[in-house]
Amino acid sequence: HLILFLLFVGPFNCFASYSRATELFYSLNEGLPAGVLIGSLARDLRLPTADGQHPSALQPPLSFTLASRGLGEQYVRLDNHSGELHTSALEIDREALCVENNEATVIGGAAVASSSSSPSPESCLLLLDVLVLPQEYFRLVKVKIAIRDVNDNAPRFPVPHIRLSVPENAPVNTRLAIEHPALDPDMGTNGVQTYRLRDNYGVFTLDVEENESGERTPYLIVMGALDREVREEYVTVIVAEDGGTPPLVGSATLTIGISDINDNCPQFNHSQLNVTIYGNLTLGTHVATVHATDMDLGSNAQITYSYSQKVSQASRDLFHLDESTGVIALSNKVDGDSPRLHRLIVLGNGPGCIPAVITVLVTIIKVMMRPPEVVPRFIANEVEGVVYLKELEPVNTPIAFFTIKDPDEKYKVNCYLDGDGPFRLSPYKPYNNEYLLETTKPLDYETQQLYEISVVAWNSEGFHVNKIIKVQVLDDNDNSPVFSQQLIELSIEENNVPNAFLTKLHATDADSGERGEVSYFLGPDAPSYFSLDKTTGVLTVSTQLDREEKEKYRYTVKAVDSGYPPRESIATVAITVLDKNDNSPRFINKDFSFFVPENFPGFGEIGVISVTDADAGQNGWVALSVVNGSDIFVIDTGKGVLRAKVSLDREQQSSYVLWIEAVDGGDPALSSTAKITILLLDINDNPPLVLFPQSNMSYLLVLPSTLPGSPITEVYAVDKDTGMNAVIAYSIIGRRGPRPESFRIDPKTGNITLEESLMQNDYGLYRLLVKVSDHGYPEPLHSTVMVNLFVNDTVSNESYIESLLRKEPDINIEEKQPQISIEPTHKKMESVSCMPTLVALSIISLGSITLVTGMGIYICLRKGRKRHRTDENLEVQIPLNGRISLHMLEKKPMEISNI
């Protein structure tokens, strides 16, 4: 029955599970990093767990799956086992997800929407569908994630420059909406809240109005009177600020233009103008010009001129008024019936204004005769009264003929030239009333380009006529370019950047047009890495300059004009490359070695350290110093002389290694070091030191049964010197005993051996005075030691022996020197070595055998004597009185560092 019940009830349970759907709401800030926990579906759905453990511990385990792949998977990460939702690596940007019109955008299986039914009216929702499995826990979960806005966007104006126009007659409190308000993608209080002006000039302020949809629009309010004629434009900055914490701002330039209104009328500077003319003026002659001004702009400042109705028709017919320019010109011929005084009232008319008024009084002087006539006939090129002459035309170049005549043929007419310039007007013989205009000097376009002269004719009645002639001088390529400096001195630091600017050359050409256009070129002696811009004259160097390679450059540059033929000038460029501290001091050798004899006196010159620096001036000054061993050695900074403060002893230290640092005077300073090795040469300043026997009072028992040739004892000595100064020779120079010649000493080893068998009567105390001598140069040094041998079977009475030792012995000093061979022997030659030489020489040349034999014998004898003298110097002179003080001979061993 239970099984049947479960079979009956089971399907209904499954149906109930499939019918369950759940909604979960979460919210989080935009811009969070990856891995932030959004929520746990298993916990929030209160799904069962195995004793409070992880949902995956259930059997079968729970699983959570997104219903479909889409936009939601990009921004969230769902743990399929625990049901935890986390942010993904893709950062959530609320402004990019949510559209501004609050319409949902569905991508794949997820949707993004701004919904009023969500937790807040400004919410941006990310919608997900999650399936919970297995079947017994199956649910379709609608997950809504509200993306909260953060203030991550500053207000921004759509245009960087906003222009607003305000009429100059705008009343106070006039409100003008500012188009293009600032935009802020953020919502709510994070959006734009306020506007302000950085400078309101005391006449403007801002107000903000909010419409039903929440949009804020700034308004410009006029707070004071405006006058375009005083100031026509105000430029300030409008600042938009949001309500975030901290607030963000954006700005744009606001230009407030003051538009003109017609608040000014035309005005004349004068109320009356007086003009006098002659009655014989030609038609169209300029009489006067009236001019009025209006402070307004555009059409508001447009002025027209007209005659007042009070001006008679006769005056209107005689004088024409241009309504635009205000020019009054003679329009009809003045006859005898014309009035002598004309009162012209001119009105200056502006739109909507009362006309301005000026009175022009024209007085006409009546002329009863006709003036003289001047008739020109041009020889030179003439166009519309302007004569064109080249500046290179020669002197006395003819310009024109002038015919002077009196129309009435009653008066005498004279003529002269009025005006400045190199021109002359003279009668042209043999004709009457004919005059020739010509040049008196060469014309120079660069001095003056235009001359204005007048040919004046007058008759005997005082009436005159002017004929104005303009002479235009035409330019020719007669000037070369001129440099502002013939010697252009420049300087540049070495190690410059490529294409470094040196200078801009400037040459001027007084000619005009193309003839005055100057181009620049390098001379043939200029190095290839200098460049000169043809048009601008900018001189550059394309590579780095090295002062140590070359310090000065000198070459020519040319300035060439564009005339035909072209003219040029040359200048010299002198460039000095300034030094930079780019070279370290350099020692002549990396390692210096000096050989110095020991006991060298203090502050004596050991050697000279040579160092150079390729830089110049202070950068090339070098100071030397001892890096190590400065308590013993010093160096002369200027001369580089190395000295020792104290006398050096080779036996204490045989060599020294120093590091010398050379520092230059640059900033920053550069330095280098060199290794100095000082080797002390040995001199014979130490006598041999006897180490054994240790005392003149010690003795050794020698048994009578000792066989001849047996070693008895030895004398052992050392010498602190080196080389030949440390080669030691041993000799017995004094003997005392029953038969003292029974013992001998090896001159090399110091071993004392028995020479003969000892007899019964040879028993007793033997005392041998041993001389220990070195082979030093120039004077060998020596020490002596007493070797005491007691020949007996036993030592039965030590006190007796000691009493004998305390007695000062009578010892005869022997003069025989030790005969030992000294190594090395390359400096000494044995006498026998001469014999093969003599034999060989005698075989080679029988004729010269006598001479060669004599020379060989002489050389051998000299070398033998030299060796004999050397051997004599191996020992210190000892007084030959046959007795010697043992107390003077007794020496104690000295401590030495190396044996």
Side-chain angles (χ1 to χ4, degrees):
H1 294 294
L2 179 59
I3 293 173
L4 291 175
F5 176 76
L6 291 175
L7 291 173
F8 179 80
V9 177
F12 291 97
N13 290 337
C14 294
F15 177 80
S17 299
Y18 276 102
S19 65
R20 283 181 291 175
T22 308
E23 285 191 354
L24 291 178
F25 286 92
Y26 298 105
S27 64
L28 75 159
N29 292 339
E30 63 175 326
L32 293 178
V36 175
L37 178 64
I38 301 174
S40 174
L41 301 185
R43 183 188 65 231
D44 297 335
L45 293 174
R46 294 189 176 87
L47 294 176
T49 60
D51 298 330
Q53 297 180 2
H54 196 273
S56 59
L58 291 175
Q59 292 299 329
L62 291 176
S63 67
F64 302 86
T65 308
L66 289 173
S68 60
R69 305 294 179 182
L71 180 64
E73 188 181 12
Q74 302 179 23
Y75 297 100
V76 298
R77 181 171 52 81
L78 176 63
D79 191 311
N80 300 106
H81 302 291
S82 65
E84 291 182 347
L85 273 174
H86 295 83
T87 56
S88 67
L90 183 61
E91 185 179 289
I92 298 176
D93 185 358
R94 182 186 178 281
E95 290 72 35
L97 281 174
C98 298
V99 294
E100 297 180 357
N101 57 4
N102 293 336
E103 293 180 359
T105 302
V106 179
I107 302 176
V112 178
S114 293
S115 172
S116 59
S117 61
S118 52
S120 69
E122 298 176 351
S123 292
C124 171
L125 297 181
L126 183 66
L127 306 181
L128 304 172
D129 290 340
V130 179
L131 295 178
V132 182
L133 295 174
Q135 181 176 357
E136 54 265 31
Y137 302 108
F138 173 76
R139 293 189 186 187
L140 175 62
V141 182
K142 299 284 187 179
V143 179
K144 296 181 179 181
I145 303 174
I147 310 301
R148 292 191 296 266
D149 183 46
V150 296
N151 191 28
D152 57 346
N153 292 280
R156 184 177 60 85
F157 286 90
V159 293
H161 189 216
I162 302 172
R163 186 170 184 87
L164 192 64
S165 181
V166 181
E168 62 177 326
N169 63 344
V172 176
N173 294 327
T174 298
R175 298 171 64 88
L176 299 169
I178 298 177
E179 298 181 358
H180 311 296
L183 305 175
D184 193 328
D186 296 325
M187 300 295 293
T189 57
N190 292 332
V192 178
Q193 298 298 315
T194 59
Y195 292 88
R196 68 176 185 275
L197 296 176
R198 287 188 182 170
D199 189 356
N200 57 20
Y201 297 99
V203 293
F204 299 105
T205 188
L206 287 180
D207 190 19
V208 180
E209 291 186 4
E210 185 175 355
N211 58 17
E212 295 179 356
S213 61
E215 295 179 352
R216 296 174 180 265
T217 303
Y219 281 81
L220 181 69
I221 302 177
V222 180
M223 300 298 294
L226 304 175
D227 188 351
R228 190 207 62 79
E229 288 71 34
V230 176
R231 184 164 188 168
E232 62 181 3
E233 188 178 72
Y234 297 86
V235 179
T236 184
V237 175
I238 181 172
V239 179
E241 183 176 313
D242 62 22
T245 303
L248 302 177
V249 298
S251 62
T253 302
L254 176 63
T255 301
I256 305 170
I258 309 303
S259 59
D260 184 52
I261 63 170
N262 192 23
D263 57 347
N264 292 278
C265 290
Q267 291 183 350
F268 287 105
N269 293 332
H270 306 282
S271 61
Q272 182 172 312
L273 186 62
N274 298 321
V275 180
T276 300
I277 63 173
Y278 290 97
N280 59 355
L281 289 180
T282 58
L283 298 181
T285 302
H286 174 272
V287 176
T289 299
V290 294
H291 180 70
T293 57
D294 193 322
M295 298 297 292
D296 294 326
L297 292 176
S299 60
N300 294 331
Q302 186 174 359
I303 300 174
T304 59
Y305 301 95
S306 63
Y307 285 130
S308 171
Q309 294 180 358
K310 296 180 181 181
V311 178
S312 64
Q313 188 62 40
S315 297
R316 291 173 183 265
D317 294 339
L318 188 60
F319 300 101
H320 173 264
L321 173 63
D322 189 303
E323 66 176 8
S324 299
T325 63
V327 174
I328 301 174
L330 187 65
S331 59
N332 279 319
K333 186 176 181 180
V334 179
D335 54 24
D337 298 331
S338 299
R340 298 293 175 261
L341 181 64
H342 294 267
R343 187 181 184 89
L344 305 178
I345 301 175
V346 181
L347 304 179
N349 306 297
C353 290
I354 299 175
V357 180
I358 186 173
T359 301
V360 181
L361 294 179
V362 182
T363 301
I364 301 176
I365 299 175
K366 187 175 182 180
V367 178
M368 299 303 295
M369 62 186 70
R370 290 184 294 174
E373 294 182 357
V374 179
V375 180
R377 290 171 302 190
F378 291 99
I379 302 172
N381 184 27
E382 179 267 339
V383 178
E384 296 181 356
V386 179
V387 178
Y388 294 92
L389 292 177
K390 292 184 178 180
E391 63 174 332
L392 297 182
E393 293 289 351
V395 180
N396 300 325
T397 297
I399 299 174
F401 278 113
F402 289 91
T403 301
I404 310 299
K405 62 182 180 178
D406 180 18
D408 299 329
E409 297 182 354
K410 295 188 300 182
Y411 305 100
K412 182 180 179 181
V413 180
N414 293 317
C415 182
Y416 68 93
L417 187 64
D418 186 21
D420 297 329
F423 305 102
R424 177 177 60 223
L425 183 66
S426 57
Y428 190 72
K429 302 294 184 180
Y431 302 104
N432 294 325
N433 299 328
E434 294 287 342
Y435 293 85
L436 175 64
L437 179 64
E438 59 185 352
T439 61
T440 59
K441 293 181 181 180
L443 301 178
D444 188 359
Y445 174 87
E446 290 71 37
T447 303
Q448 189 169 343
Q449 295 87 34
L450 181 65
Y451 295 90
E452 188 172 306
I453 56 178
S454 297
V455 176
V456 182
W458 84 99
N459 59 19
S460 57
E461 296 297 322
F463 293 99
H464 63 273
V465 174
N466 294 344
K467 181 63 177 178
I468 298 175
I469 299 174
K470 294 181 180 180
V471 179
Q472 176 67 55
V473 182
L474 301 178
D475 187 30
D476 206 340
N477 192 30
D478 60 338
N479 290 278
S480 299
V482 178
F483 281 100
S484 56
Q485 294 174 288
Q486 286 300 312
L487 177 60
I488 304 165
E489 295 181 319
L490 308 172
S491 62
I492 182 175
E493 282 193 344
E494 63 177 331
N495 303 332
N496 54 282
V497 297
N499 299 318
F501 172 83
L502 293 175
T503 188
K504 184 176 182 180
L505 303 181
H506 181 66
T508 57
D509 193 317
D511 295 324
S512 62
E514 292 183 354
R515 292 173 291 275
E517 295 178 358
V518 180
S519 300
Y520 302 91
F521 301 94
L522 289 172
D525 54 345
S528 60
Y529 40 83
F530 288 95
S531 301
L532 180 59
D533 189 280
K534 175 182 178 182
T535 305
T536 63
V538 173
L539 181 64
T540 58
V541 56
S542 61
T543 186
Q544 283 190 345
L545 299 180
D546 187 355
R547 189 205 64 83
E548 290 71 37
E549 181 179 337
K550 190 171 183 180
E551 183 177 7
K552 292 185 181 294
Y553 296 86
R554 191 180 183 92
Y555 53 86
T556 57
V557 290
K558 295 192 298 183
V560 183
D561 63 21
S562 302
Y564 183 81
R567 301 174 70 98
E568 66 181 34
S569 62
I570 296 176
T572 301
V573 175
I575 301 175
T576 301
V577 182
L578 302 179
D579 185 52
K580 290 182 70 175
N581 193 28
D582 58 343
N583 289 279
S584 300
R586 293 185 61 184
F587 289 92
I588 293 180
N589 299 318
K590 293 183 179 180
D591 296 332
F592 291 85
S593 296
F594 297 106
F595 295 88
V596 180
E598 64 174 330
N599 301 330
F600 195 69
F603 292 96
E605 181 178 325
I606 296 176
V608 178
I609 311 298
S610 298
V611 61
T612 60
D613 194 313
D615 293 323
Q618 185 173 348
N619 294 332
W621 296 349
V622 179
L624 297 174
S625 62
V626 180
V627 178
N628 61 328
S630 59
D631 54 338
I632 301 177
F633 297 93
V634 293
I635 190 167
D636 190 327
T637 298
K639 298 181 180 179
V641 176
L642 182 64
R643 305 176 189 272
K645 299 179 183 178
V646 297
S647 179
L648 303 178
D649 188 356
R650 191 204 63 79
E651 286 71 38
Q652 293 185 4
Q653 187 168 340
S654 61
S655 64
Y656 296 87
V657 176
L658 305 180
W659 290 95
I660 303 298
E661 182 181 34
V663 181
D664 62 22
D667 185 16
L670 300 178
S671 64
S672 60
T673 57
K675 181 181 178 182
I676 312 297
T677 302
I678 301 173
L679 300 173
L680 297 183
L681 300 178
D682 185 49
I683 64 173
N684 193 27
D685 59 343
N686 291 279
L689 176 63
V690 178
L691 300 181
F692 185 84
Q694 296 182 357
S695 172
N696 289 330
M697 301 299 293
S698 60
Y699 65 93
L700 180 67
L701 176 65
V702 179
L703 297 178
S705 60
T706 303
L707 297 176
S710 300
I712 303 301
T713 184
E714 69 172 345
V715 177
Y716 179 69
V718 295
D719 197 312
K720 295 180 181 179
D721 296 320
T722 60
M724 298 301 296
N725 295 332
V727 175
I728 298 175
Y730 301 90
S731 62
I732 299 175
I733 62 173
R735 303 169 183 266
R736 185 177 178 82
R739 193 155 54 98
E741 63 276 4
S742 301
F743 299 94
R744 68 175 297 273
I745 188 168
D746 189 294
K748 289 185 178 180
T749 63
N751 291 331
I752 297 176
T753 57
L754 181 64
E755 287 290 300
E756 302 174 355
S757 299
L758 296 174
M759 303 300 179
Q760 183 68 31
N761 55 357
D762 292 335
Y763 286 28
L765 179 63
Y766 291 77
R767 309 197 75 175
L768 306 178
L769 180 60
V770 178
K771 178 181 178 182
V772 183
S773 177
D774 60 24
H775 288 72
Y777 180 84
E779 293 292 337
L781 301 179
H782 73 272
S783 299
T784 57
V785 65
M786 188 68 73
V787 178
N788 300 301
L789 303 176
F790 184 65
V791 178
N792 200 11
D793 294 324
T794 60
V795 180
S796 59
N797 191 350
E798 292 184 4
S799 59
Y800 169 72
I801 299 174
E802 291 176 359
S803 65
L804 295 177
L805 293 176
R806 282 193 292 271
K807 293 181 181 180
E808 185 172 340
D810 262 337
I811 298 179
N812 293 326
I813 303 300
E814 302 176 3
E815 298 186 22
K816 185 179 180 180
Q817 302 297 329
Q819 300 295 324
I820 64 170
S821 61
I822 302 173
E823 297 178 358
T825 61
H826 60 277
K827 287 189 178 182
K828 300 182 184 294
M829 296 178 57
E830 298 294 342
S831 299
V832 295
S833 64
C834 297
M835 296 305 298
T837 303
L838 295 175
V839 175
L841 290 174
S842 61
I843 296 173
I844 294 172
S845 178
L846 296 176
S848 59
I849 187 170
T850 305
L851 176 63
V852 173
T853 304
M855 291 180 63
I857 295 171
Y858 175 75
I859 293 172
C860 293
L861 292 176
R862 286 293 303 272
K863 289 186 176 293
R865 292 193 190 99
K866 183 177 179 182
R867 181 183 175 192
H868 180 69
R869 287 196 301 269
T870 302
D871 292 340
E872 289 177 350
N873 292 331
L874 291 178
E875 61 181 44
V876 179
Q877 297 294 330
I878 299 177
L880 300 178
N881 55 5
R883 301 177 64 86
I884 189 169
S885 174
L886 294 178
H887 300 288
M888 296 177 62
L889 295 176
E890 183 178 353
K891 296 183 179 291
K892 295 183 179 179
M894 295 175 60
E895 292 185 2
I896 60 175
S897 58
N898 188 17
I899 298 178

